[in-house]
Amino acid sequence: MSAAAATSIVDLLLGLALGSADPASNNRFSIEGLTVTSKDGGLEIGMQRLEAASLRVGCGPLVLELGQLALHSVVALVKMQAGRPRLGALAAASAEIPAVKLHGPVSADIAAGQAPAGSWCLGPLAAADGTMRAKILDAHLLFDADVTVPIRDGQIHFKDATVAHVGPDSRMGVSRLGLYVDAPNGRSYLYQFSSAPMAGVEYERRGAVLGPWVTDRGHLRLQPFGESLLRQPAGGPALRFTEQARHLFDRTAISGDVQLGDGKFAAPGAQAELAGRADGRNLVRVHSEAVGRGLTIEVPSLSVCKAILEAAATQLHCEEAAGAVVLRLFVEGAQVRFALDLTNVKLSGLRLQLPARD
C-alpha cells in the first residue's frame, strides 16, 4: 500500500493531525497483509505489519518524536460514529521502536503535588542497593568535601555515610528538623522538614535526654519516604532545600549506581512492574557535573511488565517492555525542562483502548 494511502487511513481512523519529526517529509506509514472483515456492526482490520516513520506528535507543551515504529500482527476494531469510521481498540502482538524522544517542561502541577494522593507507588525502592557520591567544592564547611552515601535494602543508614575532607571528617544524619551535616564549625541543615514525623524516617537518637552526644544518626527507608514527599498537597511540601544547599548546587557534582528491586511503580497516568533484578536489569546510573545546572539518569537495561498508560480516557496496555533509557533534567532560563530518550525498545502484548468520540 502506498505511503499516502496508508497515511490517509491512519489519519481517518485516529482522527489525529500529526506533525513531522523531519521538516522535509511528512509522517509516513506503510501496511503489509491488510485484511478487512465485518464484525459487530463495524469492521475488524488486520495487518501483518504496520510501520510508521518520521513521526512528531505534540500534546500541549510536550513533544513526542519517533524515528520509526513497527507493529506486528495488528488487529484494529473500527465502528461508525457520526457518519465517520473511528478506531475503538487496537491490539498488536509485538512492536519495535529503535529510538523515541519525549521532551518538554517539567510539570509544575506534579512537582507541586497536584496529582491524586494514591497515584504514587515506588515499590522498586524497597530493595534498592547502591552507592551515591558527591563532590562539593568550596563547601560551607570551609573546604572541599567528598560525600559517600551507601544504600542497602532500600535504606540509608547515616552511620555508614561519610563526609571526608581535610581535618576531622564530618557526619551526616537526620533529625526532626531535617537532613544535616555535623561539621567542625557546627551543624548545618541541607534539607528541612516542614512537619514531623515523616514517613520512612527514623530520627537520630542521643545518649541522654537532650544530651550532646548522638548515638545513632538515624536512617531513611526510601520507598515510604519518597512516596510521602510525592503525595504532599500543593503549598505544603514536607521537604525543602535550605538556602545554603541551593548555593552549593552549582558546585556539587554527583555520581552513583543504584540497583532497583522488582515491584510495582506507579505515577500519575502510568503504572508498571519492574522485573529482572536477578539478571542485573533496571540498574540506575546518576551523574551530574553540577546539580544546580542539570542531572542525567540512565537505565541501560530497563525491563518492565504489566504496564498501563492512561490519558484523556485512552489506555495503552503492554505485557512486557524492554529497552534503554536516558533522562536529562536541565535548567533553561528560569524553567526546568526534561529530555527523555529511549532506544532499542521492544514491546509485546499491546492493547490500545480509545474513548468514543462525538
Side-chain angles (χ1 to χ4, degrees), residues 2-257:
S2 70
T7 301
S8 298
I9 291 175
V10 173
D11 285 347
L12 180 64
L13 296 180
L14 295 178
L16 294 177
L18 303 177
S20 175
D22 181 357
S25 71
N26 295 320
N27 298 285
R28 301 191 300 273
F29 295 88
S30 65
I31 296 174
E32 298 177 4
L34 178 66
T35 61
V36 181
T37 57
S38 297
K39 184 175 182 179
D40 298 330
L43 298 175
E44 182 178 275
I45 301 175
M47 292 164 273
Q48 291 180 359
R49 178 182 174 91
L50 170 62
E51 185 171 322
S54 193
L55 290 177
R56 181 184 176 93
V57 181
C59 181
L62 303 181
V63 177
L64 175 68
E65 299 180 11
L66 289 172
Q68 186 177 12
L69 164 67
L71 297 172
H72 304 279
S73 301
V74 181
V75 177
L77 300 178
V78 179
K79 291 190 176 184
M80 296 297 295
Q81 294 181 5
R84 298 188 61 187
R86 292 296 187 185
L87 180 65
L90 182 144
S94 62
E96 295 107 32
I97 310 174
V100 58
K101 299 178 182 293
L102 178 66
H103 54 89
V106 173
S107 170
D109 289 342
I110 293 178
Q114 295 288 341
S119 61
W120 292 99
C121 178
L122 306 178
L125 288 180
D129 288 299
T131 302
M132 296 298 299
R133 299 177 179 85
K135 176 73 173 180
I136 306 175
L137 304 178
D138 190 23
H140 178 71
L141 308 174
L142 305 181
F143 26 67
D144 298 350
D146 291 301
V147 181
T148 302
V149 180
I151 301 171
R152 300 291 180 264
D153 295 323
Q155 300 185 58
I156 296 175
H157 288 270
F158 287 104
K159 65 181 179 62
D160 300 324
T162 60
V163 183
H165 42 64
V166 176
D169 289 346
S170 301
R171 302 300 303 271
M172 293 186 68
V174 57
S175 74
R176 290 182 176 272
L177 296 180
L179 304 179
Y180 66 78
V181 173
D182 276 344
N185 61 339
R187 174 169 292 189
S188 298
Y189 281 90
L190 300 178
Y191 311 93
Q192 290 183 323
F193 303 147
S194 62
S195 63
M198 283 289 297
V201 181
E202 184 73 28
Y203 300 109
E204 68 176 10
R205 294 197 298 269
R206 296 177 180 270
V209 177
L210 300 180
W213 305 112
V214 177
T215 59
D216 190 323
R217 294 285 171 176
H219 69 270
L220 297 179
R221 289 184 291 123
L222 295 180
Q223 180 186 357
F225 180 67
E227 291 174 354
S228 69
L229 295 181
L230 294 169
R231 291 171 178 169
Q232 291 298 313
L239 177 68
R240 59 178 182 268
F241 297 114
T242 65
E243 194 63 28
Q244 173 190 335
R246 293 178 186 276
H247 288 315
L248 289 179
F249 282 166
D250 284 341
R251 301 191 299 274
T252 300
I254 66 171
S255 64
D257 295 339

